[in-house]
Amino acid sequence: MKYILYVILMLPLLMLSQSSISGMIMEANDKNEHIGLAGANVYWLNTEVGTVTGIDGNFLLSYMPEYKKLVISYVGFKTDTLNILDPKKMVHHWLQPTSDLDEITVTSRKQATAKSYLKATNVINVSSEELLKAACCNLSESFETNPSIDVNFADAISGTRQIKMLGLTSPYILIATENIPSIRGASQSYGLSFIPGTWIESIQITKGTGSAINGYESIAGQINAELVKPSTDDKLFVNLYGASSERLELNTHINTKVNDKWHTGVYIHGNTHNKKHDVNDDGFLDMPLFNQINLMNRWQYTDTQKGFVSFINLKFLNDEKQTGELDFYPDTDRLTKRFWGSEIDTKRYEISTKFGYVNPEIPWQSLGVQTAFSSHKQASYFGLNIYDIKHNSLYTNAIYNSIISDSRHKIKTGISYTYDHYDEFVNTIDYERTENAVGAFFEYSYDNLELLNLTAGIRIDHHNLLGTFVTPRLHVRYSPWGKSAFRASFGRGKRSANIFTENQQLFSTSRQINILNSGGKIYGLDPEIAWNYGFSYLQGFRLFGRQADITLDYYKTDFKNQVVVDWENPQEINFYNLSGKSFANSFQLELNYSPFKGVDVRTAYKFYDVKTDYNSGRLERPLTPKHRLFANIGYKTNQEEGQLGRWKIDVTFNWLSDQRYASTTSNPIPYQLQERTPTVTTLNAQITKVFSPKFEVYLGGENVTNVRQPNPILGANDPFGANFDSTFVYGPIFGSMYYAGLRYRIK
């Protein structure tokens, strides 16, 4: 095995030397500002050698003496052909819009959510403008206007939002911050609420197993959140938010240019909610009381002449939650039977660094090193159940980028190391373990812009508890005609299930916890292994003279082993290794259309078939709707010169089909539920008035139709009895909630 690792690591040294040309493609404007044009095609005339500009408009392309004419094209812009006399001189070129460019072309080009026709992976890019369509106070609330991610509450006690992709919950999704895995281990249940929405610059959602570079744990997909950069973020940004529930939030960014190479920013987030609500009169809080302080100090170093760029992030989080019965007071009732209550207190420290080097002489060669350390401590209890966890984690990743022969053939290779020490206290039992893994990866990309590209990757990892294993990944895109993209992918993922921290809602029940296997190395259980296969088709077209696109995708996740979380006995929760089959089939049809000037419509239909062989037989996964309808309509007034501002209006509709309840047939009749839930329909809306580039205000409503799940807590009248359970949540609990806020910025 070690010889294979040596070969992978030595491959970059065997690459052939090659000249190259670099530059930046920009959108023409009156001031000739350097506003990069992402996704522009750059290629040599009469060759298949080309590339696509990055998010900042930059590109890098191989060069040979016979290459003389460089073609630059982008939909809605005039195609230009440049004569290249000196390949060492950087190209700075402004593309001009075509004379007959209509408004819908501009709208499409500036879409807040974009899909690439050119990448092999099925990636959805969500910009900061899309995040502003809803008051996304944290990452868990950032997907309300995206049909690819499902959002629901995990239980009726903690107020925690749970996301799903391809019918699977977040533990099967690799969630990263700037490509460093971040929501994992102890932060799995609540970590999405630890990343404030205003800190996010963009989000990339990848369906399928994704890249092999970021790790072996990805099964259903990958979500990467890019944070705002001190060098490009506002000098001062303030966001103030208040809701009818009396939830208050404040976000402040202060960025400073230290010198020509150093920028730094201080990011402050605070939220509080101290009002008790019990709309359904069951004696329990509909949402927790909470206070959170979240701080980040971010440093950015850039030296373009020498090719260096680096980031240093220092973070601190203190998060306190209280929930339970209305009459519960921690000072007198903690861990007693006077009243049922819960407190969840989390302290988290993080430091992460990213270092990048691009060889100024050979710009297609680059090196990146990522490191991150976190210390996570959660002290919590739920009624009489105690759950404490300490998790120290170290992650490092080194990546080398190069090309083979020319820029159509790119490679990435490197090594990674992870270390995790867990110490969990579950009532009277202490679970402690250490995991560490060292791995190497290699990824090859072939890029023929006009017809075909692919990304093939493989990882080899040695884990002290999971052994040595291989996780391959493959993504292919084929475009037989214009504005089309057929994609196919497959990949393997492997992970250790953290059964307690990933299922903390189990503590808000009276169920007995059972682990039915003892031969595995983690809680006695074996690791989870799954294959993911996917197919998608994206087609752009014009409908009634306006631009539109349609996407169809199908993904299948097939578990070879899974830690089954069995809720089918209402007096127990059982964890055991899969014996039989477990799979998740996901189908999605999405249509995006701009029927009128300033109007964007996004609609989607999703179908899930998620089933597992439980000890009691093959059953549909509980609380997973088979059908979902989604629609989002956005309208923006056109901001002409001399106008004071503009209006933005967004409305989002969701309909969920009925869902299967886990069995309650062995409960006494008063504590039995129907086999399936009712359907659920929700409507969210927001209106924003932009007064100037510095100031805007927004008003909005969540669940404006006031849909509520009646009696979401089973046995709420006897919380210390045998039938108490807060996990049967299929829809909103609180009802309508309205909010208002303002944003102020100084560029």
Side-chain angles (χ1 to χ4, degrees):
M1 181 62 65
K2 66 179 181 180
Y3 297 110
I4 297 176
L5 298 180
Y6 292 154
V7 171
I8 291 176
L9 297 176
M10 291 298 292
L11 272 171
L13 303 179
L14 305 177
M15 302 298 109
L16 299 176
S17 296
Q18 186 78 20
S19 298
S20 62
I21 185 173
S22 60
M24 183 178 186
I25 306 304
M26 296 153 286
E27 177 183 350
N29 56 72
D30 295 338
K31 300 179 181 179
N32 273 350
E33 295 174 316
H34 284 62
I35 302 175
L37 192 60
N41 298 320
V42 183
Y43 59 94
W44 294 109
L45 185 65
N46 298 325
T47 76
E48 294 182 345
V49 181
T51 189
V52 179
T53 56
I55 194 168
D56 52 3
N58 290 324
F59 73 90
L60 179 67
L61 186 62
S62 61
Y63 169 79
M64 296 182 68
E66 57 266 32
Y67 299 159
K68 300 297 183 184
K69 295 184 180 295
L70 189 68
V71 182
I72 305 168
S73 67
Y74 192 88
V75 176
F77 289 80
K78 296 178 180 179
T79 298
D80 288 340
T81 302
L82 309 181
N83 291 316
I84 302 300
L85 302 177
D86 183 4
K88 295 182 180 180
K89 184 177 180 181
M90 287 192 66
V91 175
H92 284 78
H93 186 73
W94 286 264
L95 277 185
Q96 298 288 337
T98 55
S99 57
D100 59 346
L101 182 65
D102 58 20
E103 290 295 333
I104 190 59
T105 304
V106 173
T107 301
S108 173
R109 181 166 48 85
K110 297 184 181 297
Q111 279 184 346
T113 299
K115 299 177 181 179
S116 173
Y117 289 91
L118 302 171
K119 290 185 176 181
T121 50
N122 188 4
V123 180
I124 303 158
N125 292 292
V126 180
S127 71
S128 57
E129 184 174 347
E130 176 72 18
L131 299 178
L132 295 179
K133 288 185 176 182
C136 52
C137 300
N138 56 62
L139 185 58
S140 71
E141 300 168 317
S142 299
F143 304 104
E144 299 286 354
T145 61
N146 191 293
S148 296
I149 304 293
D150 302 305
V151 184
N152 195 20
F153 289 100
D155 58 76
I157 294 290
S158 68
T160 305
R161 295 183 188 241
Q162 175 182 261
I163 67 169
K164 294 181 180 180
M165 182 190 295
L166 309 184
L168 297 173
T169 53
S170 57
Y172 299 106
I173 308 167
L174 193 155
I175 304 175
T177 303
E178 299 192 317
N179 290 312
I180 297 176
S182 55
I183 309 300
R184 55 186 301 274
S187 64
Q188 190 63 251
S189 285
Y190 309 118
L192 289 171
S193 66
F194 297 162
I195 303 178
T198 64
W199 293 8
I200 301 171
E201 181 181 72
S202 62
I203 299 174
Q204 294 79 46
I205 302 170
T206 303
K207 290 187 175 182
T209 50
S211 172
I213 294 172
N214 295 328
Y216 51 81
E217 296 178 319
S218 170
I219 291 176
Q222 297 185 0
I223 296 175
N224 179 59
E226 284 292 323
L227 304 182
V228 294
K229 311 297 189 291
S231 61
T232 56
D233 191 24
D234 302 315
K235 290 182 179 179
L236 174 66
F237 175 81
V238 177
N239 176 64
L240 181 62
Y241 166 97
S244 57
S245 62
E246 298 190 29
R247 170 182 174 180
L248 297 174
E249 301 215 1
L250 174 66
N251 291 279
T252 303
H253 305 180
I254 303 171
N255 293 285
T256 303
K257 180 179 180 181
V258 180
N259 54 42
D260 290 339
K261 294 183 175 61
W262 283 98
H263 292 77
T264 187
V266 176
Y267 304 84
I268 304 169
H269 169 85
N271 64 60
T272 183
H273 174 251
N274 292 299
K275 176 71 173 180
K276 293 186 175 182
H277 300 276
D278 182 20
V279 178
N280 56 14
D281 295 321
D282 63 358
F284 277 76
L285 297 175
D286 294 330
M287 59 181 66
L289 310 179
F290 55 78
N291 293 283
Q292 183 186 114
I293 294 294
N294 205 336
L295 307 174
M296 178 174 66
N297 180 209
R298 186 161 162 84
W299 291 81
Q300 178 180 354
Y301 175 84
T302 308
D303 187 341
T304 55
Q305 290 184 341
K306 295 183 179 180
F308 292 105
V309 61
S310 63
F311 293 91
I312 303 172
N313 300 324
L314 306 171
K315 297 181 185 178
F316 168 74
L317 168 86
N318 186 67
D319 184 75
E320 299 174 348
K321 293 185 179 71
Q322 177 194 322
T323 189
E325 291 187 272
L326 285 173
D327 295 326
F328 171 79
Y329 291 94
D331 292 343
T332 57
D333 305 328
R334 181 186 289 111
L335 297 173
T336 72
K337 288 189 175 183
R338 286 170 50 86
F339 296 99
W340 196 101
S342 170
E343 288 185 286
I344 308 166
D345 296 337
T346 303
K347 283 186 171 58
R348 183 177 175 89
Y349 303 87
E350 294 180 61
I351 179 169
S352 62
T353 64
K354 292 180 66 177
F355 168 82
Y357 170 73
V358 178
N359 189 332
E361 302 297 327
I362 313 175
W364 39 263
Q365 286 185 354
S366 64
L367 176 68
V369 179
Q370 303 166 314
T371 62
F373 172 78
S374 63
S375 175
H376 184 111
K377 182 179 180 180
Q378 175 187 322
S380 54
Y381 61 89
F382 306 81
L384 300 180
N385 288 319
I386 298 174
Y387 179 65
D388 297 337
I389 181 170
K390 297 178 183 177
H391 178 199
N392 292 326
S393 176
L394 175 65
Y395 171 86
T396 63
N397 200 25
I399 310 168
Y400 179 80
N401 296 265
S402 188
I403 64 174
I404 305 173
S405 180
D406 60 53
S407 60
R408 290 176 298 174
H409 308 275
K410 301 181 178 70
I411 64 104
K412 296 180 181 179
T413 188
I415 57 174
S416 63
Y417 174 76
T418 58
Y419 168 89
D420 295 286
H421 179 75
Y422 297 94
D423 190 2
E424 295 176 281
F425 189 75
V426 182
N427 292 323
T428 60
I429 303 176
D430 188 8
Y431 296 89
E432 186 172 4
R433 75 181 191 275
T434 297
E435 296 186 36
N436 57 71
V438 60
F441 54 84
F442 178 79
E443 187 175 87
Y444 165 76
S445 298
Y446 172 75
D447 192 0
N448 178 342
L449 295 178
E450 295 183 355
L451 190 63
L452 174 73
N453 62 356
L454 64 86
T455 300
I458 189 169
R459 290 188 63 93
I460 303 174
D461 290 272
H462 177 74
H463 191 285
N464 67 316
L465 299 180
L466 308 185
T468 301
F469 53 92
V470 176
T471 46
R473 311 281 169 85
L474 176 66
H475 302 266
V476 180
R477 176 207 58 106
Y478 176 66
S479 296
W481 51 77
K483 300 293 284 184
S484 68
F486 287 89
R487 290 185 173 92
S489 68
F490 78 85
R492 182 177 188 262
K494 187 170 184 175
R495 64 181 297 272
S496 55
N498 291 284
I499 59 175
F500 297 118
T501 190
E502 293 170 6
N503 298 280
Q504 290 192 42
Q505 68 270 31
L506 71 88
F507 295 116
S508 299
T509 72
S510 60
R511 295 172 183 258
Q512 178 180 331
I513 303 170
N514 300 316
I515 301 174
L516 303 186
N517 296 92
S518 59
K521 294 186 177 181
I522 301 175
Y523 308 108
L525 300 165
D526 294 330
E528 298 190 299
I529 302 172
W531 286 87
N532 182 280
Y533 312 90
F535 170 82
S536 70
Y537 171 56
L538 169 64
Q539 180 66 58
F541 60 96
R542 296 188 74 82
L543 180 63
F544 303 115
R546 314 295 293 185
Q547 190 164 341
D549 64 71
I550 189 169
T551 305
L552 180 152
D553 62 45
Y554 169 78
Y555 286 86
K556 179 180 181 64
T557 306
D558 185 15
F559 284 92
K560 299 306 177 185
N561 186 54
Q562 186 178 27
V563 173
V564 178
V565 185
D566 189 340
W567 300 83
E568 299 306 313
N569 182 336
Q571 277 72 50
E572 300 176 351
I573 178 168
N574 294 309
F575 298 97
Y576 51 85
N577 294 322
L578 177 68
S579 178
K581 292 184 176 296
S582 181
F583 57 85
N585 296 319
S586 168
F587 170 81
Q588 180 170 326
L589 177 66
E590 181 179 343
L591 173 67
N592 295 298
Y593 183 45
S594 297
F596 308 106
K597 178 180 177 180
V599 177
D600 291 303
V601 179
R602 184 183 307 139
T603 61
Y605 163 74
K606 291 206 295 191
F607 170 79
Y608 289 137
D609 179 24
V610 186
K611 293 180 179 177
T612 298
D613 285 344
Y614 296 92
N615 285 344
S616 54
R618 181 171 298 181
L619 296 171
E620 181 183 325
R621 194 75 55 84
L623 299 177
T624 301
K626 279 193 171 183
H627 307 277
R628 177 190 175 193
L629 294 175
F630 169 94
N632 174 264
I633 301 175
Y635 171 70
K636 292 190 295 187
T637 59
N638 189 32
Q639 186 172 359
E640 303 288 352
E641 186 175 354
Q643 285 187 334
L644 292 178
R646 68 191 310 184
W647 291 91
K648 301 178 184 179
I649 302 173
D650 286 279
V651 179
T652 302
F653 165 87
N654 271 290
W655 176 84
L656 303 179
S657 68
D658 60 323
Q659 307 165 51
R660 187 182 77 86
Y661 276 128
S663 176
T664 57
T665 54
S666 63
N667 277 348
I669 291 178
Y671 300 105
Q672 291 183 10
L673 299 171
Q674 300 292 326
E675 285 191 13
R676 305 192 72 85
T677 73
T679 61
V680 177
T681 303
T682 59
L683 191 68
N684 298 342
Q686 179 177 285
I687 182 169
T688 302
K689 172 62 175 177
V690 182
F691 290 95
S692 71
K694 291 185 177 181
F695 182 68
E696 61 188 67
V697 298
Y698 55 92
L699 300 169
E702 295 182 4
N703 188 21
V704 296
T705 51
N706 199 33
V707 174
R708 287 191 289 114
Q709 176 181 345
N711 304 317
I713 300 178
L714 196 65
N717 61 323
D718 185 15
F720 296 100
N723 305 112
F724 176 71
D725 200 319
S726 67
T727 62
F728 294 102
V729 176
Y730 64 85
I733 298 172
F734 182 70
S736 298
M737 193 272 292
Y738 298 93
Y739 60 85
L742 61 87
R743 303 183 184 101
Y744 176 78
R745 54 174 55 88
I746 298 176
K747 298 291 187 180

